[in-house]
Amino acid sequence: MAQMWRLGMKDMQILPASRHRSNLKKPTWIIVLVSLVILFLICAYVYPPQNSTACYVFSSHGCKALSNWLPPAPMRELTDDEIASHVVIRDILSMHPSLSENSKIAFLFLTPGALPFEKLWDNFFQGHEGRFSVYVHASKQKPVHFSRYFINREIRSDKVVWGKISMVDAERRLLSNALKDPDNQHFVLLSDSCIPLRDFDYVYNYLMYTNTSFIDSFEDPGPHGSGRYSEHMLPEVEKKDFRKGAQWFTMKRQHAVIVMADSLYYTKFRDYCKPGMEYGRNCYSDEHYLPTFFHMLDPAGIANWSVTHVDWSEGKWHPKSYRKQDVSYELMRNITSITESLHVTSEEVKEIQIRPCLWNGNQRPCYLFARKFLPETLDNLMLLFPNYTSI
Ligand SMILES: *[C@@H]1O[C@H](CO)[C@@H](O)[C@H](O)[C@H]1NC(C)=O
Ligand SMILES: *[C@@H]1O[C@H](CO)[C@@H](O)[C@H](O)[C@H]1NC(C)=O
Ligand SMILES: *[C@@H]1O[C@H](CO)[C@@H](O)[C@H](O)[C@H]1NC(C)=O
Ligand SMILES: *[C@@H]1O[C@H](CO)[C@@H](O)[C@H](O)[C@H]1NC(C)=O
C-alpha cells in the first residue's frame, strides 16, 4: 500500500506537465485526481499518522486534523492469551487497596552477598517495628548480618546473571515471598549499594498514602531503547509500546500481584529480550519488561520515575559510584532537594526529558533512596544520617 502511494505521489508531481501537453483529457485527470484522493485517504487510514509516510506530505498539524476527522483505525484482534491476561489484570486492578494500621512496607534486598549498609538500614528501621518487613535475596553468598532486622530474612535464592532474565526471576522471587504476608502493602526493591535518603516516617507516608507505584518508564527511540526491541514480540508487544526504565521500583500490592499473574508478557521478554540477540543486539529484560508491562496495562497507575536516585551525568556505561570523599552534607542536600525527574534518550542527538515529580498531584522531592555508594562511605553516611534525613 505504501509502495502504491509513493507511485501516486510521483504521478501527482508530473500531472501538470502532462496536462500541459494535453495528453490527458479533462474527465480523465479528474478521475485520476479523485482516485488519488481516495488512495490517500485509504493510506492515511491503514497507516496511522505517527508512522505514516503519507503524513510528511502535509504539516504535522494538517495530519492531526486529518486523523481526528477519520474514524479510528480498526483494533487488532486480541489473542486468546491476551484476552485471558487482560481480564485477570483488570479484575485485580479493580479491587480497592486496603490500608490498615498493620500495613507494612516490604524492603526487598537484591544482593550478590554482603550488605555493606546494614548498619545504616538498622538505624533507619529502629523504632518502627511492625511497619516494615525485610527480605534478602543473596544470589552468591549468604551475608553475615549485624542487624536483628536482617537475621534469618534470607529467602531461597538462585544464581543471578547481570542483564539476563534471572535478574527478573530474582525480583519475582522476592515479590512472591513478600506477598505471603498479607500486611505487606508496598514493596521496595533495593540493591546492596542503596542507601536511605529520608527517615522511616517520611518514606512510609510517601509510599503508603498514594495510589501509584514508582516504576520508571520512558520512551527512548535510540539504540539503547527501542533499538533493542525485537519483532518476535509481536503481536502482543508493539514497538510503539516498548519502554525503558531503571530496575529499582516500588510497587503497590495490586501491582505486585499482577506481576505474579503475568506469564504472557514475561515469556515474551524472557525469549526475545536478552543479551546477544540476533544481529549482535543486546536487550536487558530488567530494564524493559516492567516499564513496558506497566506502560501497556496500567499507565496511569505508575509515576514513570524511580524513587531511587542515581547519577548518570558522567555519561559512562555505569553510573557514578560515590566514594568516601564524595559524601558530604552538601551532596545529600543536593540529592534530596531534586523535584524533577530527568530522562536522557540514547539517540545521536540526545533528548533530555524533564518532568516535575508529582505526588498526588503536587510537586515533591523525587527521591527516597540513592545508589551507588561504595562500602567505604558507610562511616560518613552514619555520621551524616541524622542530619540529612532531617532536611
Ligand atoms: C486511593 O484509592 C482509594 C480506593 O480507590 C481511594 O479511596 C483513595 O482516596 C485513593 N488515595 C489517593 C491518595 O488518591
Ligand atoms: C506515566 O506515563 C503515561 C504514559 O506512558 C501516562 O499515561 C501517565 O499519566 C503517566 N503517569 C503520571 C503519574 O504522570
Ligand atoms: C550541589 O549543587 C550545587 C548547585 O547545583 C553545585 O554547584 C554543587 O557542586 C553540588 N554539590 C555537590 C557536592 O554535588
Ligand atoms: C548536623 O546538624 C547539626 C545541628 O543542626 C550541626 O550543628 C552540625 O554541624 C551538622 N553536621 C554536619 C556534618 O553538617
Side-chain angles (χ1 to χ4, degrees), residues 212 217-218 243 294-295 298-305 355 358:
T212 44
S217 180
F218 76 107
R243 290 293 181 280
F294 281 100
H295 166 71
D298 193 17
I302 62 169
N304 300 323
W305 88 87
R355 302 221 164 76
L358 297 181

Side-chain angles (χ1 to χ4, degrees), residues 61-79:
H61 184 78
C63 203
K64 241 185 219 134
L66 182 73
S67 67
N68 288 344
W69 177 68
L70 286 165
M75 277 280 287
R76 174 174 63 81
E77 196 176 4
L78 300 185
T79 64

Side-chain angles (χ1 to χ4, degrees), residues 56-109:
Y56 297 120
V57 178
F58 303 101
S59 70
S60 62
H61 184 78
C63 203
K64 241 185 219 134
L66 182 73
S67 67
N68 288 344
W69 177 68
L70 286 165
M75 277 280 287
R76 174 174 63 81
E77 196 176 4
L78 300 185
T79 64
D80 289 347
D81 285 345
E82 255 175 319
I83 295 171
S85 167
H86 288 193
V87 292
V88 169
I89 290 169
R90 198 164 351 110
D91 240 49
I92 296 169
L93 291 178
S94 70
M95 289 186 282
H96 289 301
S98 52
L99 273 192
S100 75
E101 65 223 48
N102 297 328
S103 292
K104 290 189 285 192
I105 295 180
F107 292 83
L108 318 174
F109 289 89

